[in-house]
Amino acid sequence: MTNNGLAEPRRTLTLRDVSEASGVSEMTVSRVLRNRGDVSPATREKVLEAAKALGYVPNKIAGALASQRVNLVAVIIPSLSNLVFPDVLSGISAELEETGLQPVFGVTNYSAEKEEAVLYEMLSWRPTGVIVAGLEHTDAARAMLENAGIPIVEIMDVDGTPVDSVVGISHKRAGLEMARAIVKEGYRKIGFLGTKMPYDHRARKRLEGFEAGLAEAGIELTDREFYSGGSALQKGREMTEAILARNPDLDFIYYSNDMIGAGGLLYCLEKGIDVPGQIGLAGFNGVDLLEGLPRKLATMDACRHEIGRRAAAIVAGRSETGLVGGERVELTPVLEPGDTIHRK
Amino acid sequence: MTNNGLAEPRRTLTLRDVSEASGVSEMTVSRVLRNRGDVSPATREKVLEAAKALGYVPNKIAGALASQRVNLVAVIIPSLSNLVFPDVLSGISAELEETGLQPVFGVTNYSAEKEEAVLYEMLSWRPTGVIVAGLEHTDAARAMLENAGIPIVEIMDVDGTPVDSVVGISHKRAGLEMARAIVKEGYRKIGFLGTKMPYDHRARKRLEGFEAGLAEAGIELTDREFYSGGSALQKGREMTEAILARNPDLDFIYYSNDMIGAGGLLYCLEKGIDVPGQIGLAGFNGVDLLEGLPRKLATMDACRHEIGRRAAAIVAGRSETGLVGGERVELTPVLEPGDTIHRK
């Protein structure tokens, strides 16, 4: 059950597909999926497994409307407390404003299993399209997306194979370019502080790209440290203190997001450490609210609002390219050197 | 068309209600509302006005499902870029997780007209309930809410008359208690910096309460300044500089939110101003991400996640009080004095 986007026409799966795949009659399949009538546990199991493998999702909009779509766009993101996603949502919201489409949202807490469950529920509403963060899904979630018969747009990240359309940036390239920029400025003893892997695939890819960029100059990462949960600003302070205690000669720290970077910056300034002379710092995301810090942290704009806008335009059929389905939009994050990378 | 919550049973409006109110036949009303057939402009106008005054919203889920509700909860908030609302949404999301209900969201950009339009659209989906920020609405929006025949929960604010249920804090009381706390500590020359009124009703109410609290001690606000748009942290710096230039003897500044307060704090620290000795500072919201600033800003926790959770519980029929409809939940924000209010 593969799909290469543009080439293969897709249709919504029916009871018959589940019947054929499981070797169980359509009527029995229907009974199992509606949870009604007497069906043996073995048959039930067979039907549910086939449905899951196919990516079949029962339609919650009953009978008369079975073939209709509703004017809702399913939006699935990892978290609302992360500063990144409200910006994406506001891009989606702005773009859908005049279309009559409304976003419905689900949150996965960075769990692939939760994503699968949320997706199942939302697809049962027969939305007009799906916007989902990231390219990594469970097999069952990917099967559902491949067979939903509607525009699917994976967002944030372009490093991987999309189900249908994709709008995002290359996080590998973002990491790579940051590495090249700081190597060029003469930094050599370099640490990485970030969110805990493997929850955050995009942070992992930035680190991979960053290490590849250092490797071009024959440099290996001196040290790294990861965290999960808690106040990012505070964690940034604590991790910076810890990594500098272990490696007093570090001359650069790359942070997986701006908030921990800002915490690190505040820590260094309080300790009287010369930034960027003694140590350079950079974050990621281009978070607006950090304008107004004592010094401007180097960062890369992650194009969040624009990602939301372009993804919503594809679902709404107003894509700038005129394509529908199988579209690839790679945006380019721009390095903003701020005041925390010195210039030779 | 009034409604006092608990007392009056509510039902969904029908074409007949619009027919009776307008004196136009049901068939013609139906034609007008579906935008079909030949109807004179005068009759059309009469029908549309009656429908708007009643709060009638056509059902977009057609025919066979006309009497059904869908498992969606309409959530209407002013903004996603404001740090306050993602926390409310995550409370709603967490509470609805196991209920089979999904939040659908709409954004009003702090405009009452936009709110009316978003509400109209979302009610046409026959959601299970509505969660809407604030108690201030246009007459037409209020009529729609009163006649939706579903649980309506107004959130954030309890200072006013709700349509049905309300979950929030008293912003007047929050302002009042902040004034009493700082007067008690001896502050006398006091300024207010805030978001631009009248867009932000809750900030306006906090200011009213704050002034009432100062008045108890015979104190009048020395100066005030408002802003809209831009980076809050940066605005906080700029406004603090401006108000101190005009009033060098100011001994306290109350900010309408933590982000501008944090900007003010950073400004004062950089200028070597003794906080809280020479000047005390306080914000509002209890924004977590500010943990890790050089000094902890005094604030009040606005109970955002809990507001979302309790509102969603009412819509889902799992309210802790056992009531359905006409429920009032007033949460109490707690003053967190931080390091920016001195103690006598």
Side-chain angles (χ1 to χ4, degrees), chain A residues 64-65 71-72 80 83 86 97 100 102-105 114 121 125 231 233-234 237 259 270 289 291-294, chain B residues 64-65 71-72 80 83 86 97 100 102-105 114 121 125 231 233-234 237 259 289 291-294:
Chain A
L65 285 175
N71 285 345
L72 297 169
L80 281 159
L83 285 172
E97 189 160 331
Q102 278 290 338
V104 192
F105 69 103
K114 182 79 199 296
E121 198 177 330
W125 288 110
S231 158
L233 209 54
Q234 188 60 40
R237 283 177 179 269
M259 287 307 291
E270 274 170 37
L289 70 84
E291 271 172 56
L293 280 182
Chain B
L65 285 175
N71 285 345
L72 297 170
L80 280 159
L83 285 172
E97 187 160 332
Q102 278 290 337
V104 193
F105 69 105
K114 182 78 199 296
E121 198 177 329
W125 288 110
S231 159
L233 208 54
Q234 189 60 40
R237 285 176 178 268
M259 288 306 291
L289 69 85
E291 273 173 54
L293 280 182

Side-chain angles (χ1 to χ4, degrees), chain A residues 142-160:
Chain A
R142 202 173 163 92
M144 284 190 269
L145 290 169
E146 283 171 347
N147 292 291
I150 51 176
I152 307 295
V153 188
E154 288 162 286
I155 56 168
M156 312 308 286
D157 186 8
V158 300
D159 299 324

Side-chain angles (χ1 to χ4, degrees), chain A residues 96-314:
Chain A
L96 293 184
E97 189 160 331
E98 303 294 325
T99 64
L101 295 170
Q102 278 290 338
V104 192
F105 69 103
V107 173
T108 69
N109 301 325
Y110 286 97
S111 149
E113 289 66 36
K114 182 79 199 296
E115 180 188 86
E116 182 184 315
V118 167
L119 186 62
Y120 183 85
E121 198 177 330
M122 296 176 99
L123 284 176
S124 77
W125 288 110
R126 297 296 183 262
T128 296
V130 173
I131 297 173
V132 56
L135 295 159
E136 286 75 19
H137 314 286
T138 65
D139 289 345
R142 202 173 163 92
M144 284 190 269
L145 290 169
E146 283 171 347
N147 292 291
I150 51 176
I152 307 295
V153 188
E154 288 162 286
I155 56 168
M156 312 308 286
D157 186 8
V158 300
D159 299 324
T161 308
V163 169
D164 177 7
S165 294
V166 61
V167 178
I169 62 171
S170 166
H171 290 266
K172 281 192 184 163
R173 193 174 175 85
L176 184 79
E177 295 196 346
M178 183 60 81
R180 286 177 179 164
I182 66 172
V183 165
K184 189 169 148 244
E185 297 304 331
Y187 293 108
R188 290 293 177 271
K189 293 281 292 177
I190 297 161
F192 180 89
L193 299 182
T195 43
K196 196 167 177 184
M197 325 290 166
Y199 304 124
D200 188 338
H201 293 287
R202 291 173 286 284
R204 173 177 56 75
K205 290 172 185 177
R206 285 198 297 282
L207 174 54
E208 285 169 16
F210 189 68
E211 291 193 283
L214 297 183
E216 289 176 350
I219 300 171
E220 269 189 37
L221 211 56
T222 301
D223 198 357
R224 66 190 79 192
E225 184 156 320
F226 304 102
Y227 81 106
S228 59
S231 158
L233 209 54
Q234 188 60 40
K235 288 283 174 188
R237 283 177 179 269
E238 292 165 10
M239 291 199 296
T240 302
E241 183 170 17
I243 202 170
L244 289 177
R246 288 198 301 267
N247 312 276
D249 58 342
L250 223 54
D251 67 11
F252 199 91
I253 305 177
Y254 183 36
Y255 296 86
S256 77
N257 66 63
D258 284 347
M259 287 307 291
I260 54 171
L265 173 61
L266 291 172
Y267 172 81
C268 290
L269 294 179
E270 274 170 37
K271 294 290 165 188
I273 298 171
D274 171 14
V275 177
Q278 182 182 341
I279 189 162
L281 306 175
F284 184 81
N285 276 333
V287 170
D288 294 337
L289 70 84
L290 293 175
E291 271 172 56
L293 280 182
R295 212 165 291 181
K296 202 163 158 37
L297 182 70
T299 188
M300 270 186 184
D301 173 19
C303 313
R304 299 180 301 280
H305 187 88
E306 181 70 3
I307 285 173
R309 209 185 62 67
R310 298 286 290 268
I314 290 174

Side-chain angles (χ1 to χ4, degrees), chain B residues 262-286:
Chain B
L265 173 61
L266 291 172
Y267 173 80
C268 290
L269 295 179
E270 274 170 36
K271 293 291 166 189
I273 298 171
D274 172 14
V275 177
Q278 182 183 340
I279 189 162
L281 307 174
F284 183 81
N285 275 334

Side-chain angles (χ1 to χ4, degrees), chain B residues 137-161:
Chain B
H137 314 287
T138 65
D139 289 344
R142 205 176 162 89
M144 283 191 268
L145 291 169
E146 284 170 345
N147 293 290
I150 51 175
I152 306 295
V153 188
E154 287 161 287
I155 56 168
M156 311 310 284
D157 186 7
V158 300
D159 299 325
T161 307

